Amino acid sequence: MRQDDESSFLLIEADDDVQVKDVNGKDKLISLKHKKEGETVGTLSVDFWKSVRIWLDRYKRDGKLACSHAYCMATTARVGPNSMLKHFQADAEPQPADFAAKLLAELQNSSTELTTEIKASMADLSDTELGDFFSRIVIADCSLRINELEAAVASQLKSVIPKFRTDVRERLEGWWFGQAIELIRKKRAPITSSEVWLMVSSISNQYHDERLPVTFEEEVPPEGVDPLNDSRQFVQQLRSISIDTVGLEMAILDFYRAVSQRSHWARVDVLLGGEMKRFEARLVEEWKRAKSWVSIKGLSTDAQVLEAGQLLYQWAENESRHLQIRKQVTEDFIRRGSFHILADEKPEPRVYWHPKFLDMLKTPVGAVP
């Protein structure tokens, strides 16, 4: 799609392996053939004539001369130097005037089920229609092999800082595979060229001074979420201030996503030296300010202590959105999950919600509410 107009869109397993349609409704049907290294494509290549059989059906279905099709076989094999199919290569000289007749003469020498079916299908086409049909075909031989695609995609990412290109490519591939599956399952509209380039831009733009790549916003733990039996310290903290089951589930998700996201940032080296340490220090400092504020009302009764803890947690959840690791990293799970990471630190949490939680930690196991 890198060579197509941005208004074009792509279908998979529709009229061919791949179908590209432009804004004017013109179709390019593409057959994909991944062959062993060193293979060549001869005049009677089964791969080629299987594609011809598909294209013939579409050509006749859509009005023959009146149809707006172009046909392409993209193969990793090389067209043999003596094969008549060399006239279908993109850089080939114009086809001879009697090319269609000579190609059909070669086809007459084969009596396989496939060629017999194709000869029967071509029998009702006029010489003009046969010439028109063959003139629409292009063979893109020596196409990229699957192990060469990474480098090809990376070559389109020159605007991305070099050390981030692998991560951008992997994220783009993940998005593409997901969309392709949805397309094959007919769960989404065709993929447009502009959509692809917008996604490239969206992902690559996350790797700059005021932004960070966010890749775990919708992820869930592979083992699931079990708020009733989760014994981690940050969950115990929330139980101590009577957070309900739904609240516990959300906190566990935020914790998992933040841990995963922070690990990803560390792996691809997008953070500046000490950046995470400074972010956590700021969270702790602002937490101390908020804790001091909620304690002003007095903590003389158990109800007041519980309310103070709930107010402090409410502040962290909903009133601390200004605390961001970078200006344009505004996803709440990063801040909320980072608070939970601090609340889970051992041997002593750097933040806590219940005013007496540190005292609770000193009690025997099982005595923490």
Side-chain angles (χ1 to χ4, degrees), residues 21-153:
K21 188 182 290 287
D22 69 18
V23 69
N24 298 315
K26 294 183 178 180
D27 286 301
K28 183 189 297 181
L29 308 187
I30 306 172
S31 292
L32 306 177
K33 311 295 180 184
H34 198 279
K35 311 302 292 182
K36 294 180 180 178
E37 290 191 32
E39 283 198 32
T40 58
V41 181
T43 302
L44 296 179
S45 162
V46 172
D47 282 339
F48 175 73
W49 290 104
K50 280 184 176 179
S51 297
V52 167
R53 178 174 59 185
I54 294 171
W55 299 335
L56 267 175
D57 176 72
R58 310 308 192 252
Y59 180 76
K60 296 166 77 172
R61 180 196 67 188
D62 292 344
K64 302 177 183 176
L65 296 173
C67 78
S68 59
H69 300 174
Y71 309 112
C72 175
M73 183 179 81
T75 178
T76 58
R78 179 178 60 86
V79 172
N82 298 318
S83 169
M84 290 191 68
L85 302 190
K86 65 184 180 183
H87 293 291
F88 291 120
Q89 292 176 291
D91 57 353
E93 297 179 358
Q95 296 174 0
D98 58 349
F99 174 71
K102 288 183 177 180
L103 188 59
L104 289 178
E106 289 284 338
L107 197 62
Q108 294 299 328
N109 295 326
S110 174
S111 58
T112 65
E113 182 178 346
L114 173 63
T115 56
T116 299
E117 181 181 344
I118 291 171
K119 285 184 282 188
S121 182
M122 287 183 170
D124 61 353
L125 295 181
S126 67
D127 290 344
T128 299
E129 290 167 342
L130 278 172
D132 175 63
F133 173 74
F134 285 127
S135 71
R136 298 168 182 254
I137 298 174
V138 171
I139 296 179
D141 68 339
C142 301
S143 294
L144 292 175
R145 307 188 69 79
I146 194 167
N147 60 314
E148 298 170 328
L149 292 177
E150 288 186 5
V153 173

Side-chain angles (χ1 to χ4, degrees), residues 166-273:
T166 296
D167 196 53
V168 172
R169 175 184 55 76
E170 289 177 351
R171 290 182 60 194
L172 183 62
E173 287 177 353
W175 171 81
W176 175 263
F177 292 148
Q179 299 309 304
I181 290 170
E182 291 296 287
L183 189 58
I184 292 171
R185 296 176 61 211
K186 302 188 186 306
K187 297 293 186 179
R188 63 149 293 158
I191 302 171
T192 65
S193 289
S194 61
E195 182 180 0
V196 173
W197 289 113
L198 283 172
M199 182 55 63
V200 172
S201 177
S202 174
I203 293 174
S204 60
N205 284 343
Q206 295 177 26
Y207 296 76
H208 63 74
D209 291 347
E210 294 186 351
R211 185 69 182 147
L212 287 169
V214 175
T215 53
F216 287 87
E217 192 170 17
E218 298 179 356
E219 297 299 311
V220 296
E223 69 278 9
V225 176
D226 185 7
L228 298 180
N229 296 303
D230 197 315
S231 61
R232 286 175 291 184
Q233 181 173 277
F234 79 94
V235 181
Q236 292 181 25
Q237 286 222 44
L238 298 177
R239 291 195 186 106
S240 74
I241 55 171
S242 301
I243 299 301
D244 63 16
T245 301
V246 173
L248 294 179
E249 290 176 353
M250 296 300 99
I252 292 169
L253 285 175
D254 286 336
F255 178 89
Y256 171 77
R257 291 166 179 169
V259 169
S260 301
Q261 188 65 75
R262 289 160 53 137
S263 297
H264 178 258
W265 288 341
R267 179 176 66 82
V268 299
D269 194 24
V270 294
L271 295 175
L272 302 175

